[in-house]
């Protein structure tokens, strides 16, 4: 049976997770929803964010009857997952900062978490550090404008090196001669800029993109494609009223989205 996978984010960042899911389950029908009417989520209060995600899910889940929902957003997952799981029966897979793998792979014990201002304030993030990285030197960066720069990049708008550099430089630290050697991309938008990060980094580091691990978790839950399965179709929904510019339309078409539509919330 062809599964329907609902992938949700505040905007375009969840496409980095969706691409990995499609690689591992190319037969799935993907419904992607970018809640860009209120982008960025990183600036919303916890109460506003919980209410917003619950409201959008109330519209999406009955309408598209997904077999699984992927909250491809750290800012939402670190807060809203318990609410979603207690309210809906469908299984949810979340995206939370990859602090455990970073602590395991960092050789200097100095690593950074590049996230949104919302994610760096979450108890969930502090708990992950206490649990898995108590021995490490962890720098949390709540980048104010980086998700917006990633959106602009995917929309084909110019994004200057200076703007990106200013957001990522605080993640590079020298602690008593030990340098940051690992940076967690704890916002699904950031892998959209990974090539630019690599080019602008003051020294080479390992960048952890959680997309492949999230996709593996999805496949664990719904299984591998059955033999002979054909390619699934994709529907991309946006809550905002900004029509996708041609470069974004082209990127969505390349990602397999044959249909792009506005999600009416009323
Ligand atoms: N893509 C989202 C995340 O993973 C956040 C971007 C935003 O602030 O809306 O955290």
């Amino acid at each position: 049976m062809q599964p329907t996978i609902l992938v949700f984010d505040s905007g375009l960042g969840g496409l980095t997770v969706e691409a990995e899911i499609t690689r591992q389950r190319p037969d799935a029908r993907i419904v992607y929803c970018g809640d860009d009417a209120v982008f960025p989520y990183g600036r919303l209060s916890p109460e506003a964010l919980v209410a917003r995600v619950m409201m959008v899910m109330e519209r999406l889940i009955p309408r598209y009857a997904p077999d699984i929902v992927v909250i491809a957003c750290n800012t939402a997952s670190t807060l809203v997952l318990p609410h979603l799981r207690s309210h809906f029966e469908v299984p949810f897979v979340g995206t939370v900062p990859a602090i455990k793998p970073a602590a395991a792979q960092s050789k200097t014990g100095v690593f950074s978490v590049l996230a949104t201002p919302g994610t760096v304030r979450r108890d969930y993030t502090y708990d992950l550090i206490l649990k898995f990285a108590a021995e490490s030197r962890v720098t949390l960066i709540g980048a104010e404008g980086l998700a917006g720069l990633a959106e602009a990049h995917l929309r084909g708008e110019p994004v200057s090196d200076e703007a990106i550099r200013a957001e990522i430089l605080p993640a590079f630290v020298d602690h008593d001669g030990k340098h940051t050697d690992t940076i967690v991309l704890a916002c699904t938008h950031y892998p959209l800029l990974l090539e630019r990060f690599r080019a602008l980094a003051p020294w080479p580091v390992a960048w952890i993109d959680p997309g492949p691990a999230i996709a593996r978790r999805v496949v664990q839950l719904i299984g591998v494609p059955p033999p002979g399965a054909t390619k699934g179709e994709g529907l991309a929904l946006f809550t905002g009223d900004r029509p996708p510019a041609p470069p974004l339309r082209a990127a969505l078409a390349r990602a397999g989205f044959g249909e792009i539509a506005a999600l009416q919330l009323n």
Side-chain angles (χ1 to χ4, degrees):
M1 191 203 67
Q2 184 191 44
T4 295
I5 305 177
L6 173 60
V7 182
F8 179 78
D9 181 39
S10 59
L12 302 173
L15 291 170
T16 63
V17 176
E18 181 276 329
E20 292 297 334
I21 295 171
T22 303
R23 220 186 307 283
Q24 296 185 35
R25 272 307 301 244
D27 59 316
R29 169 183 182 240
I30 304 281
V31 178
Y32 183 85
C33 178
D35 185 16
D36 56 352
V38 294
F39 176 87
Y41 274 3
R43 284 194 216 134
L44 296 187
S45 72
E47 299 71 28
L49 182 51
V50 170
R52 176 74 191 183
V53 175
M54 296 302 282
M55 185 273 280
V56 180
M57 284 296 154
E58 289 280 5
R59 307 292 187 282
L60 285 169
I61 292 175
R63 203 172 298 173
Y64 297 101
D67 296 286
I68 192 163
V69 180
V70 179
I71 304 297
C73 175
N74 294 258
T75 313
S77 296
T78 48
L79 189 70
V80 189
L81 279 174
H83 300 267
L84 290 167
R85 288 185 172 131
S86 67
H87 194 79
F88 298 99
E89 276 178 17
V90 62
F92 287 89
V93 172
T95 314
V96 298
I99 286 166
K100 187 180 176 187
Q105 80 174 59
S106 169
K107 296 209 166 44
T108 59
V110 181
F111 73 85
S112 296
V113 178
L114 193 56
T116 66
T119 299
V120 299
R121 283 195 297 268
R122 302 271 188 268
D123 290 347
Y124 195 104
T125 304
Y126 287 95
D127 289 346
L128 286 177
I129 294 171
L130 285 177
K131 202 159 159 200
F132 299 114
E135 309 290 305
S136 310
R137 279 280 161 177
V138 186
T139 303
L140 286 176
I141 308 292
E144 288 286 341
L146 201 48
L149 296 177
E151 294 253 326
H153 175 81
L154 196 60
R155 290 180 195 279
E157 296 161 15
V159 177
S160 74
D161 284 351
E162 290 66 37
I164 296 176
R165 201 181 276 120
E167 298 278 10
I168 67 168
L169 272 192
F172 289 81
V173 300
D174 172 350
H175 180 74
D176 294 340
K178 286 188 178 158
H179 290 70
T180 304
D181 68 351
T182 305
I183 298 181
V184 179
L185 299 171
C187 167
T188 53
H189 279 74
Y190 301 166
L192 294 170
L193 290 170
L194 186 52
E195 289 317 309
R196 305 280 302 271
F197 293 170
R198 285 207 173 102
L200 295 167
W203 60 79
V205 294
W207 301 90
I208 301 187
D209 170 3
I214 296 158
R216 282 196 295 278
R217 177 71 189 136
V218 170
V219 171
Q220 251 176 18
L221 290 171
I222 64 168
V224 295
T230 53
K231 186 147 176 31
E233 72 274 22
L235 163 66
L237 298 166
F238 295 98
T239 57
D241 50 12
R242 191 174 170 194
L248 177 56
R249 281 195 173 273
L252 289 169
R254 279 196 303 278
F257 291 100
E259 195 183 344
I260 304 170
L263 177 70
Q264 301 300 340
L265 291 171
N266 301 315

